[in-house]
């Protein structure tokens, strides 16, 4: 499985990593899970959008520093290419829901590149 990050994800991840020191290692663990189960393996994963070539998934992101599940991560899974693009990571105490505009912008770019509708 190949992993990419969009700029917004990278920026938020760096900001949150300063607060939650275990985040880089937590992301490595998360990557192991989604490498085996790209669309999730529990009730902590929900598919927000599904097209033939791509699925947008939101998941609880467990951070050892927090000792709980108050972070969320949104990613795109491109099944045929075995690629996961991380779109967004956020803390539930800073933001209630995912940024739908960010997801729509990502999908517009994907559809432009892959000719999907």
């Amino acid at each position: 499985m190949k992993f990419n990050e969009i700029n917004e994800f990278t920026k938020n991840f760096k900001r949150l990593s300063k607060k939650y020191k275990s985040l880089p290692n937590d992301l490595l663990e998360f990557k192991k899970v989604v490498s085996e189960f790209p669309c999730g393996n529990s009730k902590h994963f929900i598919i927000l959008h599904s097209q033939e070539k791509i699925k947008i998934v939101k998941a609880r992101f467990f951070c050892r520093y927090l000792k709980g599940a108050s972070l969320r991560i949104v990613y795109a899974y491109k099944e045929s290419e075995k690629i996961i693009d991380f779109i967004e990571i956020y803390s539930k105490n800073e933001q209630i829901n995912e940024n739908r505009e960010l997801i729509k912008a990502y999908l517009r770019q994907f559809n432009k590149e892959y000719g999907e509708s």
Side-chain angles (χ1 to χ4, degrees), residues 12 15-16 19-20 66 70-73 88-97:
N12 284 331
R15 182 181 58 79
L16 289 170
K19 264 169 109 170
Y20 311 121
L66 288 171
S70 62
L71 295 179
R72 298 294 183 271
I73 191 166
E88 181 179 27
I89 187 167
Y90 62 94
S91 171
K92 288 290 284 181
N93 64 8
E94 294 175 0
Q95 183 178 325
I96 295 171
N97 287 316

Side-chain angles (χ1 to χ4, degrees), residues 28-88:
L28 291 174
E29 288 301 313
F30 186 79
K31 286 178 178 179
K32 289 178 188 174
V33 171
V34 295
S35 288
E36 285 200 40
F37 306 100
C39 293
N41 62 348
S42 71
K43 66 180 181 178
H44 300 296
F45 291 79
I46 183 167
I47 296 175
L48 300 175
H49 178 85
S50 181
Q51 286 176 225
E52 185 179 331
K53 295 181 181 177
I54 191 169
K55 292 183 180 13
I56 304 293
V57 182
K58 177 172 78 170
R60 284 189 182 179
F61 186 85
F62 292 94
C63 175
R64 283 176 288 189
Y65 184 87
L66 288 171
K67 296 178 177 52
S70 62
L71 295 179
R72 298 294 183 271
I73 191 166
V74 177
Y75 62 91
Y77 172 52
K78 300 174 192 172
E79 188 172 8
S80 62
E81 300 173 48
K82 302 291 185 225
I83 293 175
I84 288 181
D85 291 336
F86 291 113
I87 298 171
E88 181 179 27

